[in-house]
Amino acid sequence: MATAPRIWEKLETIDARIIYLILWIVILWPFIYPIGLPVSIGSYSLAYAKAIDDLPAGSIVVVSFDFSLGGLGELYPIAIATLHHLFTKPVKIVIIAIWSDGAIVADMVLKDLKPDQPPYNRKYGEDWIFLGYAPGGETAMAALGKDFWSTLPTDYYYKKHVSTYPIMQNLRSANDVTLLVSLETGTPGADEWVRQWYVPYKVPMIVGCIGVMAPTVAPYLAGGQVKGMLPGLRAAAEYELIIGRKGLGVASADALSTSHMVFVIFVILGNISYFMRRRSK
Amino acid sequence: MDITPLLSQQILKSGRVSGMVFLLIIAASTAYFIRRGKAGKVPYLRKVPGLDAIDEAIGRATEMGRPVFCSHGIASIADATYGPQTIAGLSVLGYVAQLCARYGVRLIVPVRQLVVYPIAREIVENAYRMEGKLDQFRVEDIVYLSGWQFGYSMGYMSLMRREKAGANIMVGGYWAESLQLAEVGYMVGAMQVSGTANTHQIPFFVVATDYTLIGEEIYAAGAYLSKDPAMIGSIVAQDIGKYVSIALILLGFVLLIFGNDYIIQMLRW
Amino acid sequence: MSLLRRVEIPIAITIIFALIQVIPYFVNMGPAVEATQDKVVRWTLIVSTGALLVGLTSLLLIHVPRVTRRRTHWEYSLLLIAFMFLMTIIGLPFPELNLGLTGYWFRFFYNNVLTPLSASLYAILAFYITSAAYRAFKARSLEAALLLISGTILVLRNAPLGTFLIPQIADLGDWIFNIPNMAVNRAIMIGGGLGAMVLGIRVLLGYERGYLRGGE
Amino acid sequence: MSVELFGVLLGVFFTLAVYTFLYRENPYSRIAEYVFIGAATGYGIAYDLDWLKNQWVGTWSKTMEDSILFVLALLLAVLWYFRFSKRYFFLYRIPLAITVGTYIGLALRSVVFAQVIEQVRSTAALKVVGIDPWTAFNNLVTMIIVVCTLAYFTFTVRQEAAFWKPVNKFARYAMMIGFGSAYGYTVLTRMSLFIGRVQFLLGIPPNPPEAKMFFPWVALVLLGTLLGYDYYKKTKK
């Protein structure tokens, strides 16, 4: 049996390029031919959806885009799904950005969703409004908490004073806000919102963030300041399944499953070949 | 001890006293042990395999006739949090350059920060001068690659592939490029010694390189390699800091079991 | 000039500028001193921009001779120089001329050249993280086995299919990540902080001169 | 072809050119590398000039005193350039010393709190009584790991006493578990990043849909020429 050990030896010193090729295939494949691999739904995602479902009619929700173009890969599906969910509820939605690029991103998402058209038919200025970018990071959060009108005096699309819009009549400070949704990639983000909005005004919030941020947001979930969290693409898929609107997240979930499984298979293969080779020695 | 009078007279700043005391302890013990070292009382120093491996890596590259790569991370020296890691990496570079000059092996230093570039160059040039081999010093081997993180890593990776690196020594602040460099270094068959204090990158170095300096080991590296008694003395201060930390943790933890949070309050001073 | 040549001068400057940042941070010296402190930081930033010249020059010193002497890969060096000047010129801070960071062409090259290059390179880690694991996640010893097992658990925990197949892995994975991983990180962080402090003190005492002259 | 469309083509080309590096170093990856380094350096220069201008307009031009300070800073900045002078190279150490001094100072005061005091305090504040047993257990484990790992790194003590062996072993095991989990955890974000690039290549929104038009053709050309060339060289031998 001189051949068997050679197979293991070959497998152990496999050309890395074969691994790369297989990864390319398993990630491209699900986007061309979706598989629909099962996704288990975590408690954070359920809590996130519940926070929106539980909103009483007419309550004011502030959605803040706290990320730049670089975060789109993971946050775009979350943003689309969250706004879709909100636009189907009888609540008032105020969209802002704490990052300068956040306004550009928010504009992209809104252009994609078109809330004033079916199936949403929500009226701009009455049901929702987009106020644009508030410069100053954490200082801007504090200022918004105190006084919305003076911090963001005009809206993004028409540059008209906020006092001319019916939706803004009931929104003067963070005290009027029922829920804050922060979509974020880093600082300023959850830490700062908790400091500026939760501590003084007790505004509950939910967070959509990139995967690496999850450990920094998790303590606030335990502490109750954050009601729900969607970290990364995987959570986006879970959320899309909860609200019943399959999108980019679900499509990516297949690719995530296949790539992770290939990772595990490679590790197992590597160990089998290692032990077989050692045994044959 | 009561520090309220000092605070109320506004001599010290509330919330910063604990840090000041800690810093003073470290400063005093560093100064004390440096003097002791100078006086010839060199403390015992345990072996750090990663640092001893540097000699081996350079030796092996020499035998293979391949160049040595040595980098000091991507943090700027002008950075309040990560700057010290770069200084630590530069101390290692000084040692590596000296050995390379001695063995007559080519040394390539990829640089990401403009501020660091002239320093890296002077360190290497000086090492060659001290070995009396200034004629072998090649300025174009201290390469400023790119200020962009991934421009730097791409250039670094290509350079390793093109020049067939025999050794790759990376000590300093590294981010996502850590694994890119380590993986390509492995593929070209370089012996690799790595080290960083960025906790999120240590796992990648541990997995992908031959030896890894973990956290504080990189700060001790310069002193360890220099074999200068005064510098080795200063490492004792690092240990004293650890004893103080361990004592505070244990004491605070035990007192808290009995409902006393004195230590925790003290650390808020 | 011969006085300036001495290495004591830069060491003294280092110490003075470091103490400006340290002492008023702990000892109350009034708002005026604190304002000065902040100003010094911003002023230092301006001083350090000069390194730009050095980097630029050294880049040109490498690539211009390569082009003029037609060394290997000189065509690429030409490409590099061309793109460097292109980005510099369209990025000059004169918005009136439609130049600068918000100008059309600067945005164009930023979005279509720099962003794809940078994002793709970042994403190349997906491949390296797999090949490195294939190579090193092997149960050679107990320690290596622990690394392998906890790594695999976390991978399964994060795969949508993984938690579907083994639901308990979510809690287990979270526990490993939040307890042992966090504790280890904390210890390394404390040690690293102490190391950085000692290094800083060595600089203040004038012992750490690596940055001023190579390891003498 | 419109300019925007050409931009998408550039994006697709550079994305794929980077990935040809996985196969081997080649002319496409070299183009990507040199263009990236050139463009990124240009970007850096433009960015810094813009920053300098904003500093001058926004802050330093307001008073005479500040203006003088600004000019002085610029003069000192020029001293960096003496690095290239054989006779006066030592002058560059002055701006260097200013930079290092300021940031070592900043580091000293921030590191002691963020990395030492904060971490020590939150470890000492872990409770084991008066809370549920599971949390108490976790807190105890955390504290022990922190202490043992700290002790493990001691440099200047002969670790001969009997207790060192178990402490060091425990610390090493804990570290390996921690490193493994951090490694495994990161797989998700790295895969997500690459999935993002695949979505770009396939023109999935929010990316420009035209990308999927270019993707197969560019991929074919790059791969075809590379593999073709290597095959040709192999057969010629």
Side-chain angles (χ1 to χ4, degrees):
Chain A
M1 289 293 283
T3 50
R6 286 227 354 238
I7 291 173
W8 299 123
E9 209 173 301
K10 263 204 175 139
L11 199 58
E12 234 205 313
T13 53
I14 194 173
D15 191 333
R17 287 179 288 192
I18 294 170
I19 300 177
Y20 301 155
L21 183 67
I22 292 173
L23 255 185
W24 261 103
I25 294 170
V26 303
I27 289 180
L28 264 175
W29 190 272
F31 283 103
I32 303 167
Y33 305 103
I35 313 169
L37 290 170
V39 173
S40 69
I41 291 168
S43 56
Y44 294 163
S45 313
L46 282 170
Y48 185 97
K50 190 170 178 296
I52 292 179
D53 279 329
D54 287 353
L55 286 169
S59 47
I60 293 177
V61 180
V62 172
V63 181
S64 182
F65 281 75
D66 308 333
F67 65 100
S68 62
L69 293 162
L72 268 179
E74 287 185 81
L75 286 175
Y76 183 80
I78 293 178
I80 287 275
T82 305
L83 283 178
H84 163 83
H85 195 189
L86 283 168
F87 281 126
T88 54
K89 298 269 160 223
V91 293
K92 311 272 180 207
I93 300 141
V94 179
I95 297 153
I96 59 169
I98 296 294
W99 288 37
S100 60
D101 280 9
I104 301 168
V105 181
D107 186 41
M108 268 168 84
V109 174
L110 288 167
K111 282 217 175 88
D112 215 32
L113 269 179
K114 302 188 186 67
D116 40 0
Q117 288 171 26
Y120 309 111
N121 295 319
R122 305 304 297 273
K123 204 159 171 248
Y124 185 77
E126 213 165 282
D127 298 321
W128 67 284
I129 193 166
F130 179 27
L131 298 179
Y133 164 57
E138 190 173 352
T139 335
M141 295 175 178
L144 278 169
K146 236 181 254 148
D147 184 3
F148 253 85
W149 286 30
S150 67
T151 316
L152 282 166
T154 59
D155 75 323
Y156 183 82
Y157 287 130
Y158 305 104
K159 304 273 174 261
K160 286 207 295 192
H161 196 266
V162 288
S163 61
T164 57
Y165 293 103
I167 183 175
M168 294 302 289
Q169 301 311 319
N170 297 324
L171 175 59
R172 298 305 288 260
S173 75
N175 282 320
D176 307 320
V177 179
T178 318
L179 183 71
L180 167 71
V181 185
S182 169
L183 306 170
E184 61 188 52
T185 51
T187 312
D191 284 330
E192 290 73 20
W193 280 120
V194 167
R195 270 206 294 273
Q196 299 305 334
W197 276 40
Y198 189 85
V199 174
Y201 308 103
K202 297 282 174 291
V203 181
M205 68 187 275
I206 53 178
V207 175
C209 60
I210 54 173
V212 277
M213 285 278 292
T216 60
V217 180
Y220 296 122
L221 273 156
Q225 295 94 336
V226 172
K227 298 285 170 215
M229 163 173 79
L230 297 180
L233 270 180
R234 185 211 147 108
E238 298 178 11
Y239 182 51
E240 282 175 5
L241 289 173
I242 298 170
I243 62 171
R245 183 187 190 271
K246 287 189 192 174
L248 208 50
V250 172
S252 311
D254 273 349
L256 278 180
S257 281
T258 53
S259 58
H260 278 65
M261 287 306 153
V262 161
F263 182 101
V264 174
I265 290 168
F266 273 127
V267 169
I268 293 171
L269 261 182
N271 276 284
I272 292 177
S273 58
Y274 171 71
F275 279 105
M276 292 311 267
R277 195 177 54 82
R278 228 175 48 164
R279 217 174 60 173
S280 66
K281 257 184 188 171
Chain B
M1 194 176 76
D2 192 15
I3 57 152
T4 24
L6 282 173
L7 288 176
S8 61
Q9 287 162 33
Q10 295 195 331
I11 294 170
L12 299 176
K13 290 185 184 172
S14 167
R16 291 183 182 168
V17 178
S18 54
M20 187 184 75
V21 174
F22 212 112
L23 199 56
L24 286 177
I25 293 174
I26 296 288
S29 44
T30 308
Y32 173 74
F33 283 102
I34 282 181
R35 286 189 65 161
R36 242 176 82 111
K38 259 185 172 168
K41 286 183 183 160
V42 189
Y44 162 83
L45 194 59
R46 81 167 151 91
K47 286 237 167 289
V48 180
L51 288 171
D52 296 332
I54 289 178
D55 293 44
E56 190 195 335
I58 296 172
R60 209 190 284 178
T62 315
E63 275 168 32
M64 290 193 289
R66 295 217 218 143
V68 171
F69 278 65
C70 183
S71 58
H72 42 265
I74 65 166
S76 173
I77 223 167
D79 186 300
T81 324
Y82 304 103
Q85 293 194 50
T86 302
I87 298 183
L90 288 170
S91 317
V92 174
L93 175 64
Y95 179 76
V96 170
Q98 218 170 343
L99 278 194
C100 287
R102 196 172 300 159
Y103 297 155
V105 61
R106 185 175 166 206
L107 169 67
I108 298 175
V109 184
V111 183
R112 185 230 181 171
Q113 294 288 349
L114 292 169
V115 186
V116 183
Y117 178 82
I119 312 170
R121 188 176 141 172
E122 186 166 3
I123 286 174
V124 176
E125 197 175 350
N126 216 45
Y128 275 80
R129 185 179 298 126
M130 273 160 42
E131 291 292 321
K133 294 198 176 158
L134 198 56
D135 51 314
Q136 285 175 25
F137 169 68
R138 295 170 46 144
V139 140
E140 62 272 25
D141 278 345
I142 320 296
V143 252
Y144 168 73
L145 285 173
S146 166
W148 264 42
Q149 182 185 12
F150 295 114
Y152 171 78
S153 73
M154 177 101 205
Y156 197 148
M157 289 190 287
S158 299
L159 212 54
M160 278 199 288
R161 284 211 163 152
R162 224 173 290 153
E163 307 290 349
K164 304 256 175 309
N168 180 28
I169 296 154
M170 307 181 276
V171 177
Y174 291 85
W175 276 258
E177 69 287 346
S178 64
L179 187 60
Q180 300 178 337
L181 305 180
E183 212 28 27
V184 171
Y186 168 79
M187 281 175 207
V188 300
M191 178 169 168
Q192 303 194 90
V193 179
S194 59
T196 183
N198 289 354
T199 46
H200 43 92
Q201 297 303 328
I202 296 171
F204 302 111
F205 274 157
V206 168
V207 166
T209 64
D210 299 297
Y211 291 92
T212 304
L213 304 172
I214 296 170
E216 59 188 295
E217 290 178 338
I218 72 165
Y219 297 109
Y224 183 98
L225 294 170
S226 74
K227 302 190 176 73
D228 170 5
M231 292 286 269
I232 292 176
S234 73
I235 299 181
V236 182
Q238 236 165 296
D239 279 356
I240 288 180
K242 258 171 292 182
Y243 304 145
V244 175
S245 306
I246 292 175
L248 285 171
I249 289 173
L250 288 177
L251 206 63
F253 192 84
V254 172
L255 282 178
L256 199 60
I257 293 176
F258 300 103
N260 181 332
D261 65 349
Y262 184 75
I263 299 284
I264 297 142
Q265 290 310 326
M266 194 180 88
L267 290 170
R268 287 222 172 84
W269 279 354
Chain C
M1 274 302 178
S2 65
L3 178 74
L4 279 173
R5 199 180 269 277
R6 294 178 65 93
V7 80
E8 281 76 13
I9 300 285
I11 289 178
I13 295 175
T14 311
I15 295 169
I16 292 166
F17 275 84
L19 291 180
I20 291 175
Q21 295 309 319
V22 175
I23 294 174
Y25 187 77
F26 294 107
V27 182
N28 204 338
M29 293 174 155
V33 176
E34 269 160 49
T36 315
Q37 224 183 351
D38 292 343
K39 205 169 186 176
V40 170
V41 175
R42 282 186 289 123
W43 187 79
T44 308
L45 270 172
I46 301 170
V47 173
S48 61
T49 51
L52 199 76
L53 279 173
V54 182
L56 192 65
T57 313
S58 47
L59 212 58
L60 289 176
L61 279 179
I62 293 170
H63 292 283
V64 170
R66 265 201 214 169
V67 176
T68 53
R69 289 179 206 153
R70 299 281 188 278
R71 292 229 188 99
T72 34
H73 295 162
W74 67 271
E75 308 89 340
Y76 301 99
S77 291
L78 190 64
L79 203 59
L80 184 151
I81 298 168
F83 265 87
M84 187 168 86
F85 280 109
L86 177 80
M87 284 305 272
T88 310
I89 291 165
I90 59 178
L92 288 175
F94 300 112
E96 317 80 60
L97 305 172
N98 202 8
L99 298 173
L101 307 189
T102 50
Y104 176 79
W105 286 107
F106 196 83
R107 284 272 128 197
F108 178 84
F109 281 101
Y110 180 79
N111 287 336
N112 296 312
V113 176
L114 273 173
T115 309
L117 278 170
S118 158
S120 305
L121 258 169
Y122 197 174
I124 218 168
L125 281 166
F127 298 95
Y128 291 151
I129 208 169
T130 312
S131 59
Y134 181 75
R135 172 159 56 82
F137 272 22
K138 282 179 184 155
R140 291 194 182 89
S141 61
L142 180 58
E143 282 180 18
L146 289 172
L147 185 95
L148 153 76
I149 291 166
S150 81
T152 313
I153 289 174
L154 259 291
V155 171
L156 283 171
R157 189 262 170 273
N158 276 339
L161 189 62
T163 39
F164 184 83
L165 296 174
I166 321 167
Q168 297 83 355
I169 211 150
D171 289 334
L172 180 62
D174 288 347
W175 184 82
I176 294 177
F177 194 73
N178 293 331
I179 306 296
N181 175 57
M182 192 271 289
V184 164
N185 275 350
R186 194 178 272 180
I188 293 176
M189 203 184 255
I190 295 173
L194 293 168
M197 279 159 70
V198 170
L199 183 126
I201 302 287
R202 282 204 300 254
V203 171
L204 285 191
L205 295 175
Y207 274 94
E208 188 79 31
R209 293 178 180 186
Y211 69 99
L212 285 177
R213 47 173 194 187
E216 245 170 81
Chain D
M1 194 170 17
S2 77
V3 176
E4 265 71 29
L5 214 56
F6 179 67
V8 177
L9 176 62
L10 275 181
V12 171
F13 170 77
F14 282 123
T15 300
L16 290 172
V18 165
Y19 292 119
T20 61
F21 188 76
L22 289 170
Y23 176 63
R24 67 173 169 85
E25 214 235 345
N26 67 75
Y28 300 120
S29 73
R30 232 171 280 143
I31 290 176
E33 176 195 342
Y34 282 76
V35 166
F36 193 8
I37 293 179
T41 310
Y43 177 90
I45 298 168
Y47 191 89
D48 280 6
L49 289 177
D50 185 71
W51 182 84
L52 269 181
K53 187 185 172 189
N54 287 339
Q55 282 289 316
W56 170 248
V57 174
T59 323
W60 300 87
S61 59
K62 299 272 195 275
T63 67
M64 191 62 197
E65 190 203 324
D66 280 357
S67 307
I68 294 170
L69 281 174
F70 188 83
V71 174
L72 180 67
L74 287 185
L75 286 177
L76 282 167
V78 173
L79 291 185
W80 284 102
Y81 207 69
F82 281 89
R83 184 63 198 83
F84 296 103
S85 151
K86 283 219 152 50
R87 276 186 68 188
Y88 300 114
F89 77 96
F90 53 87
L91 284 177
Y92 99 95
R93 286 177 181 158
I94 294 170
L96 173 65
I98 293 173
T99 310
V100 172
T102 296
Y103 283 93
I104 278 287
L106 285 172
L108 274 178
R109 72 184 212 198
S110 68
V111 158
V112 65
F113 287 104
Q115 283 184 246
V116 183
I117 299 277
E118 281 286 323
Q119 307 301 327
V120 168
R121 194 182 64 211
S122 35
T123 312
L126 291 170
K127 281 187 186 156
V128 286
V129 285
I131 44 168
D132 65 289
W134 177 240
T135 316
F137 169 74
N138 283 340
N139 287 348
L140 185 69
V141 171
T142 306
M143 192 278 289
I144 293 173
I145 292 179
V146 173
V147 170
C148 288
T149 311
L150 268 176
Y152 170 80
F153 282 107
T154 333
F155 291 106
T156 56
V157 175
R158 280 178 212 278
Q159 302 185 343
E160 280 158 351
F163 72 89
W164 278 105
K165 220 177 156 189
V167 164
N168 285 344
K169 252 203 177 132
F170 180 75
R172 281 204 70 92
Y173 292 161
M175 274 196 276
M176 288 304 141
I177 293 172
F179 293 156
S181 73
Y183 192 103
Y185 187 87
T186 319
V187 172
L188 175 66
T189 52
R190 301 305 182 236
M191 294 298 176
S192 302
L193 281 170
F194 182 59
I195 287 171
R197 289 325 287 166
V198 166
Q199 288 175 348
F200 165 76
L201 290 173
L202 294 174
I204 295 169
N207 300 295
E210 296 84 8
K212 72 168 167 290
M213 210 164 74
F214 296 126
F215 169 41
W217 298 111
V218 177
L220 213 65
V221 170
L222 297 194
L223 263 182
T225 45
L226 274 180
L227 292 174
Y229 178 77
D230 282 2
Y231 182 74
Y232 167 77
K233 255 178 72 177
K234 218 172 165 184
T235 48
K236 226 176 74 175
K237 265 184 194 164

